């Protein structure tokens, strides 16, 4: 048997190991493998048993890689770039070297003692959220990592000078935690501009940032501009429309339904103007809250104009009839409210008596509406 000192090793690519051209067909490759296995089998090659066994093992490795079409395609690409893997083919002294070699080498002597750890396995820097931090900080804890990043990359810097997504994401989280809400909303907009994908749009939390910064109307305008990226009816456009509507509803509940009377009335008109500017039809709730705001502010003419707009809108479901009765009652239009309630009770508006189209039982809705109307009448004559 040949000793290790009598053996040379030749680096061969997988095709050279099987003694076949790289452009061989799958059938030619299979035939070449079988022929090579027979040629180098320990019982037929005449080579020392250990050498023949190793060669058979290398043949199987090359064949397992090239028999798979996907793995072969990847290997061919690496081969064309000169970075493909090779196999150390053993050759006994005095035996002719096979063709197609890249280089010949002798086996490296084994180290007598434990090798020194490579400095590459102990890098001085590590990556955290896209930032390079010292290894000592990395090994400390997440809080130490955050403090180091904030001190060296965030503090004293303006987000308007950055377009790197990793920097903007980290800074957005930091500003949110520190209550820097305007900066948080600005960074959210910048992220959507830098990365126009819907995934980023859905994850960045634009609506949450606008609500926290109390920038509802400006946010609704920005979302409307983003909607131009996608066609009507598409999933991203539908999602954006919902976010925009939710933002305006939050504005209505926060600034039109609550607050001093004069401010509520002014905010109601501002909301209706924004809806008109965005070509969005105000909902019944939008107009009703605006009507109440102007009534409480003493703006009678404006309140009547909004009431007329409400009454001109079609009733789309059974609940709408009861909402209209309540609206007339609140507006002191008691005679009209009484007439409409009587029509509902007589069945002239069938949707209002269909329990499938009304929240709650129709009889209970009629009873509650009548009680409110009676109280309003007593108050008016009282």
């Amino acid at each position: 048997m040949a000793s290790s000192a009598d053996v040379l090793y030749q680096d061969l690519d997988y095709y050279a190991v099987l003694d076949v051209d790289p452009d061989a067909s799958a059938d030619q490759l299979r035939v070449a493998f079988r022929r090579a296995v027979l040629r180098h089998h320990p019982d037929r090659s005449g080579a020392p048993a250990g050498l023949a066994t190793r060669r058979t093992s290398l043949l199987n490795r090359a064949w397992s890689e090239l028999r798979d079409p996907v793995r072969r395609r990847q290997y061919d690409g690496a081969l064309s770039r000169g970075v493909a893997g090779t196999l150390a083919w053993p050759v006994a002294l005095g035996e002719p070297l096979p063709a197609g070699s890249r280089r010949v080498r002798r086996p490296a002597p084994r180290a007598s003692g434990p090798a020194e750890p490579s400095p590459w396995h102990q890098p001085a820097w590590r990556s955290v959220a896209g930032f390079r931090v010292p290894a000592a900080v990395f090994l400390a804890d997440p809080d130490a990592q955050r403090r180091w990043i904030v001190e060296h990359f965030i503090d004293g810097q303006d987000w308007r000078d950055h377009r790197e997504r990793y920097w903007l994401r980290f800074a957005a989280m930091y500003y949110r935690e520190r209550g820097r809400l305007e900066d948080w909303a600005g960074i959210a907009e910048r992220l959507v501009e830098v990365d126009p994908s819907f995934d980023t749009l859905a994850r960045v939390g634009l609506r949450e940032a606008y609500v926290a910064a109390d920038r509802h109307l400006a946010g609704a305008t920005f979302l409307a501009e983003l909607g131009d990226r996608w066609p009507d009816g598409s999933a991203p456009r539908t999602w954006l429309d919902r976010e925009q509507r939710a933002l305006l509803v939050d504005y209505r509940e926060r600034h039109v339904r609550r607050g001093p009377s004069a401010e509520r009335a002014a905010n109601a008109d501002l909301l209706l103007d924004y809806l008109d500017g965005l070509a969005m039809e105000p909902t019944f709730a939008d107009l009703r809250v605006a009507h109440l705001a102007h009534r409480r502010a003493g703006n009678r003419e404006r309140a009547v104009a909004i009431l007329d707009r409400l009454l001109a809108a079609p009733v789309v479901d059974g609940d709408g009839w009861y909402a209209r009765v309540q609206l007339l009652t609140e507006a002191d239009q008691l005679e009209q409210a009484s007439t409409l309630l009587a029509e509902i009770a007589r069945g002239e508006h069938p949707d209002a008596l269909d329990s499938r189209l009304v929240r709650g039982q129709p009889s209970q809705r009629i009873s509650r509406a009548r009680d409110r109307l009676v109280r309003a009448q007593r108050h008016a004559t009282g």
Side-chain angles (χ1 to χ4, degrees), residues 83-146:
V83 294
T86 59
L87 297 173
W89 184 263
V91 181
L93 289 178
E95 187 179 12
L97 300 177
S101 64
R102 297 191 178 183
R103 62 188 177 88
V104 178
R105 62 181 174 85
R106 293 185 180 274
R110 293 184 178 179
S112 57
E116 291 292 329
S118 169
W120 295 105
H121 295 289
Q122 297 178 347
W125 300 90
R126 300 290 179 88
S127 176
V128 176
F131 298 92
R132 294 182 67 211
V133 303
V137 175
F138 176 85
L139 296 174
D141 58 63
D143 289 338
Q145 297 168 8
R146 286 171 55 83

Side-chain angles (χ1 to χ4, degrees), residues 72-85:
R72 181 182 180 184
R73 186 160 52 249
Q74 294 172 346
Y75 185 80
D76 288 347
L79 191 66
S80 65
R81 298 192 301 272
V83 294

Side-chain angles (χ1 to χ4, degrees), residues 253-273:
E253 297 302 305
R254 182 181 298 193
H255 296 290
V256 182
R257 192 181 292 277
R258 298 179 178 87
S261 298
E263 292 183 10
R264 290 174 58 183
N267 291 334
D269 283 342
L270 188 58
L271 173 62
L272 295 180
D273 290 342

Side-chain angles (χ1 to χ4, degrees), residues 269 290-291 294-295 297-309:
D269 283 342
H291 169 259
H294 279 286
R295 284 193 69 231
N299 303 329
R300 180 175 176 79
E301 292 185 3
R302 180 60 175 154
V304 170
I306 296 176
L307 178 62
D308 291 341
R309 187 173 178 180

